[in-house]
Amino acid sequence: MAWFVALEGIDGAGTTTQSHRLVAWLQALGRPARYTKEPSEGHWGTLLRRVLTGALRRARTDGSEEPFDEATLALAFATDRVDHLASEVEPALAAGVSVVCDRYVLSSLAYQGRALDLAWLLAINGRCRAPDLTLYLDVPAQVGLARIAAARRARERYEQEATLAEVLTGYARGVAALREIGQRIVTLDGTLPIEAVEQAIQAEVQRLMGRTRT
Ligand code: TMP
């Protein structure tokens, strides 16, 4: 039996570290598992990464450039998602390999939902399968930003305190909307030490595996 698990949280919440640890733990249990992420490493995801760093901007006919608007991004993330499901996620699940996805639909609801209607975002993501479990790592905006600063990497679009504070509200709304359509989402305290978060995630996935087997 293969499971599709998504990890979510604001920038700096620890989704990448914890996704890799979860895959390693599943593999150590003898369960085939793979790590993947969105934006993906495919063509659309690569394009999106350039948009997020600011390298790729909208070119206007007068020769000037400006950042892309949120609706364009929402559609691009949904395009990447449908492609990512077809190229990587569905084939892995069909082969019995569990997939741990570092960000998924909830990220679109939280980030693009700051500016856009949730019903429209759910509609454009309507072809994307629901995860068996979404783990939401909750951290305050300052904690996320401090971790990004400690990692000494350049800030991308959305990585300012005021924006991340809005994204947190977006997560609260997005979690409620997905629960309403029957999705299983567990919120975990992402400010705890890495090992404590890792154990909490393992306990939830253990519960999922037990529940699915019966
Ligand atoms: P990350 O790879 O460092 O997590 O960065 C991805 C960024 O893209 C992060 O700021 C969240 C954002 N994002 C969205 O705005 N919408 C989405 O649907 C996804 C998957 C990511």
Side-chain angles (χ1 to χ4, degrees):
M1 174 92 200
W3 291 273
F4 181 33
V5 178
L7 267 80
E8 288 281 357
I10 61 168
D11 299 79
T15 60
T16 303
T17 301
Q18 294 297 342
S19 296
H20 282 297
R21 287 185 175 220
L22 176 55
V23 168
W25 177 72
L26 286 167
Q27 289 172 345
L29 289 179
R31 297 180 183 275
R34 67 179 286 141
Y35 168 89
T36 191
K37 64 177 181 175
E38 292 188 358
S40 75
E41 288 184 329
H43 296 304
W44 302 102
T46 305
L47 210 60
L48 269 164
R49 182 59 64 187
R50 294 184 58 212
V51 173
L52 291 169
T53 59
L56 192 64
R57 291 154 62 85
R58 171 182 289 138
R60 294 168 55 110
T61 50
D62 65 3
S64 65
E65 288 190 349
E66 63 185 7
F68 288 103
D69 62 89
E70 292 295 329
T72 303
L73 256 78
L75 290 164
F77 278 116
T79 301
D80 180 43
R81 190 160 292 131
V82 171
D83 181 58
H84 181 219
L85 282 166
S87 62
E88 195 173 343
V89 178
E90 299 287 3
L93 293 172
V97 178
S98 290
V99 175
V100 177
C101 194
D102 185 356
R103 299 193 176 282
Y104 194 57
V105 174
L106 182 52
S107 280
S108 285
L109 304 187
Y111 285 78
Q112 283 67 58
R114 288 161 51 242
L116 302 166
D117 181 39
L118 276 195
W120 181 70
L121 290 169
L122 285 170
I124 63 171
N125 285 282
R127 292 180 64 91
C128 303
R129 70 148 66 207
D132 298 305
L133 173 65
T134 298
L135 296 159
Y136 170 53
L137 308 184
D138 192 19
V139 301
Q142 302 91 310
V143 172
L145 283 175
R147 288 179 182 170
I148 292 165
R152 292 176 199 276
R153 67 164 175 81
R155 286 192 184 186
E156 296 186 342
R157 183 171 169 135
Y158 307 122
E159 293 178 345
Q160 291 92 33
E161 187 167 341
T163 310
L164 288 187
E166 286 174 19
V167 173
L168 279 173
T169 310
Y171 266 113
R173 275 203 310 262
V175 165
L178 291 179
R179 282 193 178 137
E180 208 157 290
I181 57 172
Q183 292 197 19
R184 183 174 161 76
I185 305 175
V186 176
T187 298
L188 298 172
D189 182 355
T191 66
L192 295 174
I194 290 181
E195 287 71 24
V197 178
E198 184 182 6
Q199 281 167 19
I201 288 173
Q202 290 171 2
E204 291 302 329
V205 174
Q206 191 91 62
R207 192 166 301 150
L208 169 75
M209 296 189 303
R211 194 175 56 110
T212 316
R213 257 203 310 274
T214 54

